[in-house]
Amino acid sequence: MANRTDPAAKSVHGTNPQNLVEKILRSKIYQNPYWKEQCFGLTAETLVDKAMELDHFGGTFGGNRKATPFMCLTMKMLQIQPEKEIVVEFIKNEDYKYVRILGAFYLRLVGKPTDVYQYLEPLYNDYRKLRYKRPDGKFSDTGFTLSHVDEFIDELLTKDYSCDVALPRVPKRWTLEAAGQLEPRRSALEDDFEEEEEKDEEDHVLGLDTLALDKDHRRGRSSPRDRDRDARKRDSYRQYRDRNHDRDYDYDRGRGRERDRDRDRDRDYYRDRDRGRDDRDSLRDRDRDYHRRDREKERERHYWDRERRHSRSRSRSRSRDRRDRDHDMVDYKKRHHSPSPLNHRRADKDALDGEHRNGRDEPKRKKEKKEKKEPAADGTDHPDPEIAEANRLRAALGLKPLK
């Protein structure tokens, strides 16, 4: 029952007035001991006493986001919905600044746009200090920071959030002025300016009248010599004025020429700078194209080098396999086609005979060496019988002979 809205209260912006505060903040306010102990059973008349006891304002603070008494009283005003005259009296109160900003905050939540601008804009002239309870409390030991009434009013009229509450949207002032719902804003200092202007005009008029009276008085008592002196003064003044006017005209014309020259110089500078930038851009594009072509050539060269290495490794592996096969074949021939014991004895006998005939047949061997034919191309007549046998086998297979 203590948290329900007054049955006689009207809906604000199409909803329950308490719904203007978010649900999480509402629940924190309902759980606050200040709400349970100090705000229970308050009415529009007794709420003023509690508002006069306020010494700071703010939304929530601390690690558990505890609601401030200012927000609790705002929620109570939304719950009981006091009359508009009472809220206006809150705003017009000049003795208690926290009562004033409490009424201004409530009117910003529930009031019409025209009422908001009408009653809150005069508070721009209130420069009194306020204590604001910061949410984190890190900027001072007590968790407070300094603010002013006019700052808080400006926040209400220009921001979307204030004291952790989303403010209802209000149109801009110039929109309401264009629609004829508001008059143009009149500054509080405008009256002082008008008084100063009127005083200056009166002093100027009085000074001219006094000057005219003195002049007429002098003319009534002046002699021909004085009149001639006055005429000469007037002529000299006209000459001085004309000379100064011509000098000022020449000076202005010279200044105009200098400005034209400066303008032309600036135009030429920026045109040259833009042209140089275009040239740099074109050179940069050209260098980029060159680098791109170089990278493409480098990639192509690496590709063909890699292909060449692969082909070389493949041919090397084929030749290695072919050599291995030939070697295996030679080993096979050695194992299965070794000479017979008869051939061994014959070979030993030939060796002994050769030693006996070494002295006699030396010239004959030299002659045979000279008359020896050229070796065969397939290597079958190699002096080494094993190599000759391997060459005959390689010739049958179509391979190159061994040397």
Side-chain angles (χ1 to χ4, degrees):
M1 294 294 292
N3 298 335
R4 290 184 180 179
T5 307
D6 189 357
K10 299 178 183 179
S11 62
V12 179
H13 303 299
T15 184
N16 191 336
Q18 293 194 79
N19 292 339
L20 296 176
V21 179
E22 288 80 356
K23 184 177 180 180
I24 299 176
L25 183 55
R26 285 203 311 270
S27 62
K28 292 182 180 298
I29 292 173
Y30 294 154
Q31 296 171 4
N32 196 320
Y34 184 87
W35 170 265
K36 297 178 181 179
E37 298 174 3
Q38 305 294 331
C39 298
F40 181 78
L42 286 180
T43 61
E45 292 78 9
T46 58
L47 186 112
V48 181
D49 299 331
K50 296 296 180 181
M52 291 168 59
E53 296 176 358
L54 292 175
D55 58 354
H56 65 276
F57 77 102
T60 58
F61 66 95
N64 56 356
R65 312 301 290 178
K66 184 179 178 181
T68 59
F70 181 83
M71 283 306 304
C72 294
L73 293 179
T74 303
M75 178 62 73
K76 195 63 180 180
M77 292 182 71
L78 293 173
Q79 185 182 19
I80 64 178
Q81 201 177 51
E83 297 293 334
K84 180 180 178 182
E85 290 77 10
I86 298 176
V87 178
V88 172
E89 290 299 326
F90 276 29
I91 296 174
K92 291 182 178 180
N93 192 323
E94 297 182 357
D95 297 330
Y96 297 94
K97 51 190 176 182
Y98 292 103
V99 175
R100 167 173 280 191
I101 65 172
L102 179 63
F105 187 66
Y106 174 76
L107 183 64
R108 176 65 178 85
L109 291 176
V110 302
K112 298 179 181 179
T114 54
D115 295 337
V116 170
Y117 284 107
Q118 180 181 356
Y119 292 106
L120 264 64
E121 283 183 343
L123 302 184
Y124 274 127
N125 300 320
D126 193 347
Y127 308 114
R128 287 180 292 182
K129 298 178 181 179
L130 298 174
R131 297 176 67 199
Y132 173 61
K133 188 72 172 180
R134 294 195 58 84
D136 48 7
K138 292 182 180 178
F139 284 80
S140 62
D141 297 336
T142 58
F144 293 99
T145 186
L146 182 64
S147 182
H148 299 82
V149 176
D150 57 327
E151 293 180 11
F152 182 66
I153 298 301
D154 184 70
E155 181 179 342
L156 294 179
L157 293 177
T158 58
K159 305 295 183 181
D160 295 332
Y161 277 85
S162 180
C163 297
D164 298 332
V165 177
L167 302 176
R169 182 185 176 276
V170 293
K172 301 296 183 182
R173 180 179 178 83
W174 62 269
T175 306
L176 299 176
E177 291 180 2
Q181 299 180 10
L182 276 180
E183 296 181 357
R185 183 183 173 188
R186 183 181 177 86
S187 175
L189 300 177
E190 191 171 352
D191 296 335
D192 298 336
F193 286 138
E194 290 180 355
E195 292 178 0
E196 292 292 336
E197 290 178 357
E198 291 177 357
K199 185 177 179 180
D200 293 341
E201 290 178 358
E202 290 176 359
D203 294 340
H204 184 65
V205 171
L206 290 176
L208 291 178
D209 294 341
T210 304
L211 182 61
L213 291 174
D214 294 341
K215 192 173 182 180
D216 294 338
H217 180 68
R218 286 199 307 273
R219 280 181 180 176
R221 297 186 307 167
S222 62
S223 61
R225 187 188 304 171
D226 295 334
R227 288 196 295 272
D228 294 339
R229 186 172 61 251
D230 294 337
R232 286 195 300 272
K233 288 182 178 180
R234 285 196 298 273
D235 294 339
S236 62
Y237 174 74
R238 290 195 189 95
Q239 294 176 1
Y240 174 77
R241 184 184 61 189
D242 296 340
R243 186 167 58 253
N244 289 337
H245 176 73
D246 295 338
R247 186 180 61 187
D248 294 339
Y249 175 75
D250 296 337
Y251 176 76
D252 294 338
R253 186 173 59 180
R255 291 286 298 173
R257 290 176 179 174
E258 290 180 0
R259 282 195 296 270
D260 294 338
R261 284 195 296 270
D262 294 340
R263 193 181 300 111
D264 296 338
R265 192 182 302 111
D266 294 339
R267 190 186 302 112
D268 296 338
Y269 168 75
Y270 287 115
R271 185 172 59 248
D272 296 338
R273 189 186 65 179
D274 295 338
R275 187 182 298 115
R277 186 183 295 113
D278 295 338
D279 295 340
R280 288 193 300 273
D281 293 340
S282 61
L283 290 175
R284 193 181 300 111
D285 295 338
R286 194 180 309 157
D287 294 340
R288 191 181 299 112
D289 295 337
Y290 288 159
H291 291 309
R292 180 171 53 79
R293 286 196 293 269
D294 292 341
R295 287 195 298 272
E296 291 176 356
K297 290 180 180 179
E298 189 70 19
R299 284 197 295 270
E300 185 176 358
R301 186 172 61 80
H302 284 308
Y303 172 76
W304 288 113
D305 290 344
R306 188 170 60 254
E307 291 295 329
R308 194 177 298 110
R309 286 195 299 271
H310 285 314
S311 61
R312 191 177 300 158
S313 62
R314 285 196 298 269
S315 62
R316 193 177 295 117
S317 62
R318 284 198 299 269
S319 62
R320 191 182 300 113
D321 295 340
R322 195 176 299 118
R323 241 188 347 264
D324 295 339
R325 286 198 303 270
D326 295 342
H327 185 70
D328 295 340
M329 183 60 69
V330 170
D331 292 341
Y332 178 78
K333 291 290 186 178
K334 283 182 179 180
R335 287 194 302 269
H336 294 80
H337 298 281
S338 59
S340 62
L342 181 61
N343 292 334
H344 279 295
R345 289 193 297 270
R346 188 177 301 167
D348 295 338
K349 185 178 180 181
D350 292 340
L352 292 173
D353 294 339
E355 289 177 359
H356 290 292
R357 293 193 303 268
N358 191 13
R360 290 195 309 266
D361 298 339
E362 186 66 25
K364 187 176 182 180
R365 283 199 300 272
K366 291 181 179 181
K367 186 176 181 181
E368 288 178 356
K369 284 183 181 180
K370 290 181 180 181
E371 294 177 357
K372 188 179 291 186
K373 298 181 180 179
E374 292 292 329
D378 54 359
T380 55
D381 55 350
H382 197 277
D384 192 350
E386 294 179 356
I387 297 178
E389 185 67 23
N391 286 335
R392 282 194 293 271
L393 181 61
R394 293 176 66 87
L397 295 176
L399 302 176
K400 292 181 179 180
L402 299 175
K403 296 182 180 180

